[in-house]
Amino acid sequence: MTAFTVGVSRDFLDAQDRNVWGDICLDRLTEAGHSWEYLPRVVDAFTPEDLAPYDGVIFAAPAVTANSFRDGTPRPRVLARFGVGYDTVDLDGCTAHDVAVTITPDGARRPVATAALTMLLAVLGNVAVKDRLVREHRWAERDQHMGLGLSGITVGLIGVGNTGSDLVGLLAPFGVRVLGHDPFCPPERARALHVELVSREELAARSDAVVVMAALTPATRHLVDHAFLAAMRSTAVLINVARGPIVDEIALVDALRAGRIRAAGLDVFATEPPTSGIELLPNVTLAPHALAWTSEMSRGNGGSCVQAILDVAEGRVPAHVVNRDVLERPGFQARLAAALP
C-alpha cells in the first residue's frame, strides 16, 4: 500500500478552524498510515494548484470544473464528495484526467429521508405558523391554523431511489398510500415497496403531498413546473429536500401566492440563499439546506469518503464511483495498480 496524502476542503471549518461536522472519521486515515490536512484556503472551485499536492481529496462545497486540471500538473486519483449531489462536478473532465469521483449515498440516505419526513410533518402540522403565534403573543389565533393528519393520505414521491425507498419505510407506520414517479425504478422493486408507479401528471393530480427525492439532472431540472403545480390539488403540499432547481421556484411562488396549493416545505432553493421572494411567503416552511445535517450524517458521509480513499490507496475500486467510465481507462487502472505493493 502506498501512503497517501489526503486533502480536506477548508469549508468544513468554521472561523475558529473547528470542523463544524464534528467526527467525520478522519482518524481512520491516520490509523491506516496516511497523512491528511485541510486545504490552506477556502475556494469556490478547485484549481490545479489546489489539487496537485494530494493523492485524494475529501470535499463538500467547492466545484470541480474544466479548469480544475491541467495537463502536466499532478492530480488526485480520487475525489470523494461529502454528499450525494455532484451537479457541481465536471465528471467528463475528471474522467479525461483519470480521476475517480465518489459520493456517499449510504451515509446520506437515512438522514435525508428523515429530513423529508420531518419537513412533511412540520408543513402538515403548521409548525412554523404555530411557532410564530407563541413568539408574537398571538395565542388566541391557534384555532385558525388546524393542521392536516398524515395517516391515510396519499404521498407522491418524485424519485424512488435509495433515499426515496428509505422514506417509504419511514412512512409505513402512518398507513399512507405511496405513489412514485421514477423512470429508473424497476416495477418489481416498486411492488416490493408497495409503491404504485405512475406518470408525472397522475402523481401531481392524485397526491395530497408531493415529496421531491430525485437527483438533479438535465431531465429533472424544473420537473415541477407551472403545469405540474397547476395539476396539484389546492389542498396539497409540496416538499423538496433534494435539489432546488428540480422545482421551478418562480412557478412555486406564483402557486403559493394564488393559493393553488396549500403550502410548501423547502430545504433547498434555486439559488442559495433564496432570492425569489419565497422566503417572504407565510405558507412556506424553510430550512437553510441543512435539515439533514446531523451527527448521523457526519459519520456516515465522512466514513464513506474515508473508505473511498482507503480503497484507492489499497488498489481497490471504491464503491459509489459516479463517473464509471473512468474505471475502463488504462490511465486510471495504472494509477490504481500503482497503489499496490
Side-chain angles (χ1 to χ4, degrees):
M1 181 189 71
T2 301
F4 267 28
T5 300
V6 179
V8 182
S9 62
R10 201 165 188 84
D11 54 286
F12 282 94
L13 302 179
D14 63 15
Q16 287 74 45
D17 285 345
R18 295 173 301 198
N19 192 316
V20 297
W21 284 91
D23 179 14
I24 60 171
C25 303
L26 295 174
D27 57 323
R28 290 177 56 197
L29 293 171
T30 306
E31 292 167 359
H34 306 294
S35 61
W36 63 270
E37 65 183 22
Y38 292 104
L39 272 66
R41 65 192 186 109
V42 176
V43 297
D44 293 325
F46 289 125
T47 67
E49 292 71 25
D50 293 321
L51 298 177
Y54 306 110
D55 300 290
V57 173
I58 296 171
F59 71 105
V64 182
T65 72
N67 297 319
S68 296
F69 307 103
R70 185 184 304 122
D71 290 340
T73 301
R75 71 274 189 195
R77 303 179 207 195
V78 56
L79 294 173
R81 168 80 169 88
F82 187 91
V84 295
Y86 50 92
D87 46 288
T88 59
V89 178
D90 180 352
L91 294 182
D92 290 339
C94 292
T95 299
H97 288 87
D98 299 318
V99 178
V101 179
T102 65
I103 57 172
T104 60
D106 290 343
R109 60 186 294 177
R110 178 50 61 92
V112 174
T114 302
L117 179 60
T118 299
M119 184 64 87
L120 177 59
L121 290 169
V123 171
L124 292 177
N126 287 332
V127 170
V129 174
K130 292 170 182 176
D131 176 84
R132 290 197 298 272
L133 293 183
V134 178
R135 295 177 188 277
E136 297 169 7
H137 306 289
R138 296 160 53 199
W139 192 279
E141 298 175 34
R142 59 183 180 166
D143 59 351
Q144 299 173 31
H145 300 281
M146 188 70 67
L148 295 174
L150 178 57
S151 296
I153 71 170
T154 298
V155 177
L157 301 185
I158 297 178
V160 195
N162 289 336
T163 310
S165 298
D166 256 28
L167 178 58
V168 172
L170 294 177
L171 288 169
F174 295 94
V176 302
R177 178 183 299 105
V178 182
L179 308 178
H181 175 67
D182 189 332
F184 302 104
C185 180
E188 59 274 14
R189 183 162 175 263
R191 285 194 294 271
L193 291 169
H194 303 289
V195 172
E196 179 185 353
L197 292 178
V198 297
S199 69
R200 169 177 168 269
E201 293 75 16
E202 188 175 354
L203 184 138
R206 291 176 55 191
S207 298
D208 298 300
V210 172
V211 184
V212 180
M213 302 294 283
L216 176 61
T217 67
T220 61
R221 183 176 293 272
H222 285 190
L223 189 67
V224 177
D225 57 9
H226 280 283
F228 185 98
L229 293 163
M232 287 178 64
R233 300 174 178 179
S234 61
T235 55
V237 303
L238 175 73
I239 307 296
N240 188 6
V241 298
R243 282 294 184 268
I246 298 173
V247 175
D248 182 340
E249 199 164 295
I250 299 303
L252 178 58
V253 169
D254 290 344
L256 288 167
R257 282 178 175 160
R260 288 194 293 274
I261 65 172
R262 177 187 176 99
L266 306 176
D267 186 43
V268 290
F269 305 89
T271 58
E272 297 182 352
T275 57
S276 64
I278 198 161
E279 69 276 15
L280 305 176
L281 300 181
N283 53 342
V284 60
T285 300
L286 308 172
H289 200 158
L291 197 56
W293 290 12
T294 62
S295 57
E296 180 183 26
M297 177 175 272
S298 296
R299 293 189 301 272
N301 282 358
S304 181
C305 287
V306 167
Q307 188 60 53
I309 302 287
L310 294 176
D311 284 339
V312 174
E314 296 168 14
R316 297 188 299 270
V317 173
H320 312 308
V321 174
V322 289
N323 56 334
R324 302 293 298 178
D325 289 348
V326 77
L327 303 180
E328 305 304 319
R329 289 177 59 86
F332 176 76
Q333 292 172 357
R335 301 183 82 205
L336 193 64
L340 297 173

